[in-house]
Amino acid sequence: MPPAPPDIRKRSFAPVVDAATRLLICGSLPGERSLAAGRYYAHPQNQFWQLLSPVAGTDLVALDYDARLAALLTAKIGLWDVVASAARTGSSDAAIRDPAANDLPALAATLPDLRAIAFNGGTAAAIGLRQMRAAGLDRIDLIALPSSSPLHTIGLAAKRPAWDALRTTLGEDRRTTGFPQAPQ
């Protein structure tokens, strides 16, 4: 049997935020497809863009990547990852070794309108919650979300309520925008 391939150090992307960001959604570390494409949530089976479309009030799935990011910023939603770099073979969070965290509290401190940070999945929540609680930034709500990853197989319908609840963080009911709920 050939030896297992060595873990390869992976690095996260820059944050997508601006001064108006109210909600920051943090994943753990981009998967192989995302890293290869240089885009957040590039795997076609990842449900991120479907889950976030009603929250953003626009069909993000139908947009090209740059337009998706622009639509998120318009909706006051930012993106980042809690892990700056880590050794990992493949895309699974369970394979993350020796993680170095992004400085989430420092980024949060630069966002004057930030109301909440939502963590996309258990690994992101474990790392991000630990960091934010240690920093004592009490003005920011911390929200754990079911992962949008195709590896988290509870199904879109079961994930949707937690993701839809993010609308309240934005201070607006995005259902009034006319964007239809994505099919379950």
Side-chain angles (χ1 to χ4, degrees):
M1 178 184 291
D7 286 340
I8 299 171
R9 195 117 188 124
K10 312 290 172 67
R11 302 198 182 286
S12 68
F13 303 132
V16 176
V17 296
D18 63 21
T21 298
R22 287 188 188 173
L23 169 65
L24 179 62
I25 300 177
C26 292
S28 55
L29 182 68
E32 294 298 316
R33 291 263 182 109
S34 293
L35 290 168
R39 299 183 293 140
Y40 282 100
Y41 303 101
H43 194 292
Q45 293 177 344
N46 192 299
Q47 299 166 332
F48 181 82
W49 300 109
Q50 286 176 279
L51 289 164
L52 201 54
S53 288
V55 179
T58 191
D59 184 359
L60 298 168
V61 176
L63 302 176
D64 70 29
Y65 183 69
D66 290 335
R68 287 177 182 178
L69 296 184
L72 289 183
L73 292 175
T74 297
K76 302 177 181 165
I77 299 169
L79 293 179
W80 206 24
D81 289 305
V82 296
V83 176
S85 68
R88 183 186 67 204
T89 300
S91 296
S92 172
D93 283 357
I96 291 174
R97 303 287 179 260
D98 189 29
N102 274 319
D103 194 345
L104 190 53
L107 178 66
T110 69
L111 301 173
D113 291 342
L114 187 64
R115 294 181 181 176
I117 300 174
F119 300 103
N120 183 2
T123 299
I127 294 168
L129 290 171
R130 183 171 46 246
Q131 249 195 27
M132 293 303 292
R133 288 179 179 149
L137 293 173
D138 297 333
R139 70 175 176 89
I140 301 169
D141 291 331
L142 304 174
I143 304 163
L145 295 169
S147 176
S148 65
S149 168
L151 298 175
H152 188 62
T153 59
I154 66 168
L156 187 64
K159 296 174 187 181
R160 186 168 303 288
W163 283 78
D164 284 352
L166 295 175
R167 289 186 193 120
T168 61
T169 299
L170 296 169
E172 303 166 23
D173 185 347
R174 297 279 177 189
R175 288 174 290 188
T176 63
T177 64
F179 177 72
Q181 292 284 332
Q184 315 266 329

